[in-house]
Structure formats: C-alpha cells, structure tokens
Amino acid sequence: MEELKLVVDYATLGILGIMSVIAFAYGIERFFYYREVKIEHYQTKNQAEAELTKNLTAISVIGSNAPYVGLLGTVAGIMVVFYEIGQSGGMEPSAVVIGLSLALKATALGLLVAIPSMMIYSACLRKVDLLIGVWEDASA
C-alpha cells in the first residue's frame, strides 16, 4: 500500500508540476510577445485577435482544471488512508490525522497552480482588449 501512496503523490504532483510549467511558460511567452507586437501591422481585427489570444486557452484550461487534479489526488490519498485503517483494524487518531493532512496537500497544490494561472490569463485578456482598442483606433 505504501507504493500506491507514493504513486498517487508523485502522479498528482507531477501532473500539477507540468501544468504549472506550461502555464508559466505560455504566460512569459505572451508577456514578451505583447511587449514587441506591432498591432497596426494586422490587416483585420480577426487576424489580430487570433494572434493576440494564441495560447490563452491553454492557460485558462490549466487554471480551471488544476483544482480538480488536486482534488483527485486528495480523494485518492484519503482512500489509501481509509484502506490502511481497514487493514489494520483501527489506527490511532494521530496517524489518521497525519494521513489526511498529507492527502490534503494535493488540493492545496492544485490551488497553488490554479490561482496564478488565472491571474496570468486575466492579465493577458486585459492586454488583448487594450491592443484591440489601439488597432480599432488606428484603423478608424
């Protein structure tokens, strides 16, 4: 059962780690892109929006699904704790609390990935709105 506990921990943490790296990488890429973009070079508004919103969907998906990945890790961890309780015929309350607290770390890490991802997404959307406004003013 100890192996299952490690698999649950490492799988959840690994997935959340990959999600955070992707979200931050896309956020950094968008930051540098928005700094250098020449909005007046776009022919149409749709073309400008397509380029300006590139990779934002991935950031949004990561931000909205990271808490669920963390919750899945928590549920799996709690299931392992309950299984151990059933196998041993009972445990001391301190051992149960420790097992449950370790399981809850997955939810906390899911939120730790989701909150900055959604902040990055919102900041990028605001910048897109501002750049589209500049494009509309330039083409009027």
Side-chain angles (χ1 to χ4, degrees):
M1 188 48 65
E2 193 64 34
E3 297 84 23
L4 182 60
K5 198 184 300 186
L6 290 174
V7 168
V8 167
D9 277 348
Y10 287 128
T12 303
L13 298 180
I15 291 169
L16 288 170
I18 291 168
M19 291 171 81
S20 66
V21 167
I22 291 170
F24 285 114
Y26 281 158
I28 291 169
E29 183 270 333
R30 289 286 89 187
F31 171 77
F32 287 115
Y33 175 77
Y34 295 148
R35 274 187 35 198
E36 301 298 324
V37 69
K38 304 285 189 249
I39 195 68
E40 59 278 353
H41 291 168
Y42 293 104
Q43 306 279 327
T44 66
K45 182 179 176 181
N46 286 339
Q47 182 186 23
E49 282 181 346
E51 285 298 315
L52 292 172
T53 59
K54 184 178 174 185
N55 296 330
L56 292 188
T57 302
I59 296 171
S60 174
V61 167
I62 289 169
S64 61
N65 287 304
Y68 296 118
V69 173
L71 184 60
L72 179 63
T74 297
V75 169
I78 290 172
M79 287 171 46
V80 168
V81 169
F82 286 154
Y83 179 81
E84 288 177 346
I85 291 171
Q87 288 293 84
S88 68
M91 294 177 81
E92 291 187 30
S94 63
V96 173
V97 171
I98 290 170
L100 295 177
S101 67
L102 291 175
L104 287 172
K105 76 176 177 257
T107 298
L109 291 173
L111 292 172
L112 195 61
V113 172
I115 293 168
S117 297
M118 293 310 292
M119 291 171 68
I120 291 168
Y121 176 72
S122 297
C124 288
L125 277 185
R126 175 66 180 147
K127 187 65 176 175
V128 168
D129 288 342
L130 292 173
L131 289 170
I132 291 296
V134 169
W135 184 88
E136 288 173 341
D137 289 345
S139 46

